[in-house]
Amino acid sequence: MSDNIQTVTVLSKTTWTPTLFSFTVSRPDSFKFTAGQFVRLGVNPSQLKYYQQIEANDDTSDTALNEDIFRAYSIVSSPFDEVIEFFSIVIPDGAFTSQLQHLQVGDELLLNTMPFGFLTLARYQKPMPKDLWLLATGTGLAPFLSMLQDLKTWEDYEHIVLAYSARSTQELAYVDKIKSLQEDFGTLVDNPAKLIFIPIVTREPVDGALSERLPKLLLEGTLEKQAGIALDIDTTHVMLCGNPEMVDDTKEALKSLGLVMNRRGEGNIAVENYW
């Protein structure tokens, strides 16, 4: 096993919907990361309690693979938390998530302690920080929650717009946590950013939520109107994370509005492509 691979223990699990769940694991002392980064997380299905219980009951109808499977996962928790939190979707035929859905407290996973990814606020050298727009669908919310639990984010910006899109109200996870972020973190710094949370639910009508896809909301000006601030090439940082189709379409919508991709530290738009 690589020196970078460490065993971590599942400490808690939260089920949001039949296909969405979060979980926390123990954090190795040496593990460090920057808010917005992701790691490679591993599971050996045969070691999960779920399958061991099946085996103990002599049920051979659902046998487990005995091999380590790794996938990339963005981190939900703050770089300063004592535990590491992840947000996962269940893909029925997915080799990894179809196993991970059976997680129980006490199960052991494998963590590659080398963090990856450049969806971090340090990538922005120009324009200087003023307005930060975080646009997410589904589990793409994870890196943004990590950033919003880092005090530097609250110190560096004047406005933070978090637009979070899901298909149903049930799938709009972490809403209570989002609503408490301003008080929990903004109050800890002088002159904190103002957080503007814009929930979006696309497949059912919900009071207080927008209902169209992010690209359309951008092109029609609805998102700017709801936020009360404008997207400006000279003052705006925009980060996208979520399903690849959303990321591609939203990126093109932003470019059509005059914003540019961030390259070598300059530009407005940053995306993460680890799916």
Side-chain angles (χ1 to χ4, degrees):
M1 190 179 292
S2 163
D3 291 343
N4 289 334
I5 307 295
Q6 294 206 30
T7 301
V8 294
T9 304
V10 177
L11 302 175
S12 68
K13 182 181 178 184
T14 301
T15 300
W16 301 101
T17 73
T19 57
L20 281 176
F21 65 98
S22 304
F23 58 99
T24 62
V25 301
S26 56
R27 178 172 180 166
D29 291 340
S30 60
F31 177 56
K32 292 181 173 58
F33 70 97
T34 300
Q37 287 189 307
F38 62 91
V39 291
R40 291 183 63 77
L41 196 63
V43 62
N44 183 320
S46 70
Q47 302 301 310
L48 297 179
K49 290 181 180 181
Y50 171 83
Y51 287 109
Q52 291 175 349
Q53 287 159 356
I54 289 175
E55 194 173 298
N57 293 328
D58 293 326
D59 182 352
T60 57
S61 62
D62 194 4
T63 55
L65 287 171
N66 184 13
E67 63 179 79
D68 297 337
I69 309 167
F70 280 84
R71 292 292 183 273
Y73 265 75
S74 286
I75 301 169
V76 172
S77 40
S78 158
F80 308 101
D81 277 350
E82 294 181 357
V83 301
I84 315 169
E85 184 167 356
F86 300 100
F87 184 22
S88 180
I89 189 169
V90 178
I91 301 170
D93 299 324
F96 190 84
T97 64
S98 63
Q99 306 298 337
L100 213 63
Q101 68 179 319
H102 300 307
L103 276 187
Q104 298 177 26
V105 172
D107 276 331
E108 291 188 337
L109 298 174
L110 300 171
L111 173 71
N112 184 328
T113 56
M114 176 75 71
F116 299 91
F118 300 98
L119 193 73
T120 64
L121 296 177
R123 71 179 293 153
Y124 285 108
Q125 307 302 319
K126 192 177 178 182
M128 296 297 288
K130 184 183 177 191
D131 299 328
L132 174 63
W133 292 67
L134 305 173
L135 310 183
T137 56
T139 57
L141 177 70
F144 300 151
L145 285 177
S146 184
M147 292 174 195
L148 291 170
Q149 295 175 87
D150 187 338
L151 295 182
K152 188 163 175 30
T153 308
W154 295 88
E155 291 173 337
D156 286 355
Y157 289 90
E158 291 181 24
H159 302 97
I160 302 169
V161 179
L162 174 61
Y164 173 31
S165 179
R167 294 176 300 181
S168 68
T169 314
Q170 270 191 314
E171 292 184 358
L172 212 57
Y174 287 102
V175 169
D176 288 343
K177 185 180 187 77
I178 292 168
K179 290 180 176 177
S180 70
L181 286 168
Q182 183 88 47
E183 183 175 342
D184 291 347
F185 292 90
T187 56
L188 300 178
V189 304
D190 295 330
N191 302 313
K194 179 187 177 186
L195 177 63
I196 302 156
F197 174 45
I198 303 176
I200 303 163
V201 179
T202 57
R203 295 195 183 174
E204 62 183 33
V206 177
D207 287 344
L210 300 180
S211 60
E212 302 288 353
R213 292 182 67 240
L214 278 163
K216 186 173 182 181
L217 292 172
L218 285 164
L219 293 173
E220 293 181 348
T222 309
L223 206 61
E224 289 173 280
K225 183 178 178 182
Q226 188 79 359
I229 58 174
L231 291 158
D232 186 322
I233 192 170
D234 295 321
T235 60
T236 299
H237 297 169
V238 189
M239 290 187 151
L240 311 177
C241 193
N243 72 71
E245 184 182 359
M246 179 284 285
V247 170
D248 287 344
D249 292 350
T250 304
K251 181 172 62 177
E252 293 308 311
L254 289 164
K255 286 160 69 174
S256 75
L257 295 173
L259 279 71
V260 298
M261 297 300 296
N262 183 283
R263 304 189 196 285
R264 298 186 181 87
E266 296 191 11
N268 312 99
I269 308 165
V271 305
E272 188 63 88
N273 293 311
Y274 65 83
W275 290 37

